[in-house]
Amino acid sequence: LRLARRLSLAFSTSMMSHARFGTARVVLPSDHRAAEYIDLAASRSERYAHPGALPEIQRGKAIDDAQRRDFTINAIGVRLNGPAGSRGTWIDPCNGLSDLRAGLIRVLHPLSFIDDPTRIFRAVRFAARFGVTIERATLQWLREA
């Protein structure tokens, strides 16, 4: 959230934050050519008390955060800290870059759609929006959920 505030000040724009989840969105200036906003999220781990419940959040490491994501392509990160030579490198513990190149939507575990049923809608929306394929096991788990 500190980084989001600093970016917001640097761009002289607004930001919205969700402290409970450790997330923020910084709106970019209207003349910015790359994107309309930047989403930031602190690394965390989460646990679901029961299917469909909001997760219980705890601070975590980058690997914890990657493993809680809905799809492998959403588990890709970029290192922002550490030794100078490692900054800007990919963090990809779930092989999301490989799935991105192959045009595949893949969940991280068989109970992913049970934990969060809204992932079903996101999988279908990604497939339609980006013209990619839902991976075979993921599609089976989606149908079962």
Side-chain angles (χ1 to χ4, degrees), residues 14-143:
S14 63
M15 70 163 266
M16 297 155 279
S17 66
H18 300 281
R20 175 180 181 212
F21 296 106
T23 62
R25 174 171 283 182
V26 177
V27 178
L28 295 175
S30 59
D31 63 343
H32 198 278
R33 64 189 180 280
E36 296 175 16
Y37 56 84
I38 299 171
D39 283 331
L40 300 160
S43 294
R44 68 184 198 225
S45 65
E46 57 188 35
R47 186 177 89 63
Y48 293 88
H50 55 81
L54 287 176
E56 297 170 10
I57 307 296
Q58 292 183 327
R59 291 291 299 223
K61 298 179 180 192
I63 186 74
D64 300 323
D65 194 73
Q67 291 173 337
R68 72 169 186 81
R69 297 289 170 171
D70 47 7
F71 309 112
T72 60
I73 61 172
N74 287 346
I76 302 168
V78 176
R79 185 172 305 284
L80 298 177
N81 61 4
S86 71
R87 293 180 199 151
T89 59
W90 294 112
I91 301 170
D92 185 22
C94 303
N95 297 314
L97 287 170
S98 176
D99 283 346
L100 188 61
R101 289 182 187 109
L104 291 175
I105 301 296
R106 182 189 316 268
V107 292
L108 300 179
H109 60 88
L111 297 177
S112 185
F113 296 120
I114 301 299
D115 286 345
D116 182 354
T118 64
R119 290 176 175 156
I120 294 170
F121 299 110
R122 288 196 295 273
V124 173
R125 185 179 71 212
F126 279 2
R129 181 176 180 193
F130 299 115
V132 296
T133 303
I134 299 174
E135 181 265 339
R136 187 180 349 193
T138 298
L139 188 57
Q140 179 179 335
W141 296 326
L142 181 152
R143 288 180 174 141

